[in-house]
């Protein structure tokens, strides 16, 4: 059973959608909201598997809300709106489906069939998403158990390379990272060393995000698969349910995906990526810590810094959340602190030997 939150400013449309979606065996409507601000609170409260979004809404339009949702809390979203002219653009904004509202004279049964067909076609994606996301607790509970935070040692041992190898750029990001990475990649040329990215993103969204990066950059970007040979001018994004690492095979570097436990409370984990980079190329690497909540990446970034790698962190003023960069800075793991719009310039300068 997949849970749905309906967002529409029309009370009558909310009732129609609630009845139609609720009649589909695999779906349950757990809430409705009449604007983006009410929706934000209900998403926090219910953690739905899917949201439906209207475009024309008061206070904040649906397109802005969708973009904010994909930036701050990526999750499956279907746009149900009369704005059919935006149908194709909606997918660029992060939606996984678009259903035009009924046109004049269209029977409600026809509209209901279109809704059912679209939602059922998304069940494969929803299944993958719900398997990986934490479930919301509908009732408060008292627990004396503390979540055990897995150290990277439990997944990948530290065997830092004593000798510098090929240049590699590794990037870690979380909350706010989707749009921030797009801004960075738009400025990157196609002659850079291989780039590896761990962005905290749900499974089912990483491939489409890699495609967005690819479409908006001269760099060839893909979702990483096991055993890919790292090549210049290419970037490799960690899948949403796997740790991305690299290993050295003779004179080649190859990707290796690990389907293990979460590290630093994340999978994929920045700590796992950074440590594998340290193990493979050591001091010839560049590590970039971007916007994000928590401290994932701090342990391994400090190890890279101590091994002579070049490390930078995004500054507070340009971060959506300053958690991950702040923790790395506090740990003494960062050589330079730079703004979002400077990150691409620093990557280019590093790749051309101008900074270390």
């Amino acid at each position: 059973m997949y849970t749905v939150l309906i967002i529409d400013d029309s009370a009558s449309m909310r009732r129609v959608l609630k009845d139609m979606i609720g009649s589909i065996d695999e779906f349950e409507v757990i809430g409705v909201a009449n604007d983006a601000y009410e929706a934000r609170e209900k998403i926090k409260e219910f953690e739905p598997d899917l949201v439906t979004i209207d475009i024309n809404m008061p206070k904040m339009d649906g397109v802005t809300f969708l973009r904010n949702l994909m930036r701050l809390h990526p999750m499956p979203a279907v746009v149900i709106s009369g704005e059919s002219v935006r149908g194709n653009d909606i997918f660029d904004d992060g939606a996984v489906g678009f259903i035009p509202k009924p046109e004049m004279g269209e029977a409600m049964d026809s509209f209901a069939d279109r809704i059912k067909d679209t939602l059922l076609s998304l069940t494969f994606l929803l299944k993958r998403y719900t398997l990986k996301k934490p479930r919301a607790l509908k009732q408060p509970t008292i627990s004396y158990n503390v979540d055990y935070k897995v150290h990277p040692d439990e997944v990948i041992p530290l065997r830092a390379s004593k000798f510098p190898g090929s240049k590699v750029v590794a990037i870690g990001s979380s909350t706010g990272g989707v749009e921030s990475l797009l801004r960075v990649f738009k400025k990157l040329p196609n002659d850079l060393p291989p780039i590896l990215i761990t962005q905290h993103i749900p499974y089912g969204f990483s491939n489409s995000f890699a495609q967005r990066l690819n479409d908006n950059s001269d760099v060839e970007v893909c979702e990483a698969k096991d055993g890919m040979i790292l090549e210049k001018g290419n970037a490799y994004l960690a899948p949403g349910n796997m740790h991305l690492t690299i290993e050295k095979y003779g004179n080649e570097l190859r990707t290796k995906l690990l389907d293990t436990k979460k590290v630093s409370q994340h999978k994929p984990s920045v700590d796992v990526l950074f440590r594998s980079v340290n193990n493979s190329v050591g001091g010839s690497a560049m590590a970039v810590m971007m916007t994000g909540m928590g401290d994932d990446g701090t342990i391994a970034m400090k190890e890279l810094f101590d091994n002579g790698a070049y490390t930078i962190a995004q500054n507070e003023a340009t971060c959506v959340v300053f958690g991950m960069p702040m923790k790395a800075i506090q740990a003494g793991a960062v050589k330079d602190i730079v703004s979002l719009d400077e990150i691409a310039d620093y990557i280019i300068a590093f790749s051309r030997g101008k900074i270390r």
Side-chain angles (χ1 to χ4, degrees):
M1 183 70 73
Y2 303 109
T3 57
V4 181
L5 175 70
I6 295 167
I7 311 167
D8 199 296
D9 64 319
S10 166
S12 60
M13 184 54 67
R14 290 197 299 271
R15 286 193 297 270
V16 167
L17 293 176
K18 184 176 181 180
D19 289 343
M20 290 181 175
I21 295 173
S23 69
I24 306 171
D25 290 341
E26 293 86 347
F27 292 86
E28 175 191 4
V29 177
I30 58 170
V32 296
N34 62 18
D35 60 47
Y37 295 94
E38 184 181 358
R40 182 179 61 186
E41 298 307 312
K42 292 196 174 181
I43 289 171
K44 292 178 184 177
E45 179 182 0
F46 296 118
E47 281 287 341
D49 302 323
L50 173 75
V51 294
T52 72
I53 303 173
D54 186 21
I55 289 181
N56 289 320
M57 295 192 296
K59 300 181 181 178
M60 181 187 296
D61 67 88
V63 173
T64 302
F65 176 71
L66 175 63
R67 291 171 178 168
N68 288 340
L69 185 67
M70 293 303 112
R71 179 168 57 91
L72 300 173
H73 188 96
M75 62 180 298
V78 172
V79 171
I80 303 179
S81 176
E83 296 285 332
S84 58
V85 293
R86 285 196 52 88
N88 292 328
D89 296 337
I90 286 299
F91 294 100
D92 292 335
D93 294 326
V96 296
F98 176 75
I99 306 171
K101 286 184 176 178
E103 298 181 355
M104 187 70 68
E106 182 182 5
M108 284 295 103
D109 287 347
S110 173
F111 181 43
D113 287 342
R114 290 195 286 110
I115 290 176
K116 184 175 182 179
D117 288 346
T118 299
L119 297 192
L120 290 179
S121 71
L122 296 172
T123 54
F124 180 67
L125 182 150
L126 291 170
K127 182 178 181 180
R128 292 187 297 176
Y129 173 71
T130 55
L131 284 174
K132 301 299 174 181
K133 83 181 184 71
R135 305 304 303 176
L137 296 175
K138 298 295 183 66
Q139 298 295 331
T141 60
I142 298 173
S143 173
Y144 296 98
N145 295 323
V146 177
D147 287 340
Y148 175 62
K149 185 176 179 180
V150 176
H151 192 280
D153 286 348
E154 298 187 41
V155 170
I156 179 170
L158 175 61
R159 299 191 181 98
S161 175
K162 302 294 185 183
F163 304 100
S166 303
K167 283 187 177 181
V168 168
V169 178
I171 302 174
S173 55
S174 185
T175 311
V178 170
E179 294 302 323
S180 297
L181 284 165
L182 281 165
R183 283 176 62 175
V184 171
F185 270 74
K186 285 178 180 178
K187 297 175 65 177
L188 296 178
N190 63 1
D191 61 348
L192 302 176
I195 301 173
L196 301 149
I197 313 158
T198 287
Q199 159 71 35
H200 298 157
I201 194 168
Y203 182 48
F205 285 84
S206 47
N207 187 51
S208 60
F209 178 51
Q211 188 61 52
R212 285 184 70 194
L213 286 175
N214 183 71
D215 292 344
N216 287 277
S217 175
D218 288 336
V219 178
E220 292 288 331
V221 186
C222 68
E223 182 185 55
K225 294 179 175 58
D226 206 45
M228 300 179 80
I229 298 172
L230 299 195
E231 298 180 358
K232 290 183 178 180
N234 284 254
Y236 308 84
L237 176 73
N241 65 335
M242 294 274 205
H243 296 302
L244 172 59
T245 71
I246 59 170
E247 289 189 340
K248 195 170 183 179
Y249 292 83
N251 294 323
E252 295 177 342
L253 293 171
R254 297 182 186 177
T255 60
K256 183 176 182 180
L257 302 182
L258 303 179
D259 188 7
T260 61
K261 61 183 73 173
K262 291 182 179 180
V263 172
S264 302
Q265 300 179 337
H266 292 283
K267 181 181 175 185
S269 164
V270 180
D271 268 320
V272 172
L273 171 62
F274 282 5
R275 178 166 282 189
S276 77
V277 168
N278 196 9
N279 288 352
S280 298
V281 300
S284 62
M286 177 182 187
V288 183
M289 189 74 81
M290 293 177 60
T291 177
M293 187 178 298
D295 62 358
D296 183 27
T298 296
I299 293 170
M301 194 173 199
K302 181 62 164 65
E303 295 165 351
L304 277 165
F305 178 88
D306 291 342
N307 200 23
Y310 181 60
T311 59
I312 67 172
Q314 186 177 344
N315 66 4
E316 182 175 9
T318 60
C319 280
V320 175
V321 178
F322 190 48
M324 285 163 54
M326 178 185 68
K327 291 294 185 180
I329 293 166
Q330 290 174 345
V334 175
K335 182 171 183 181
D336 289 317
I337 304 169
V338 305
S339 71
L340 174 60
D341 289 331
E342 292 177 313
I343 290 175
D345 296 330
Y346 274 74
I347 292 173
I348 295 167
F350 167 80
S351 70
R352 295 174 182 168
K354 296 181 179 179
I355 54 175
R356 271 200 59 77

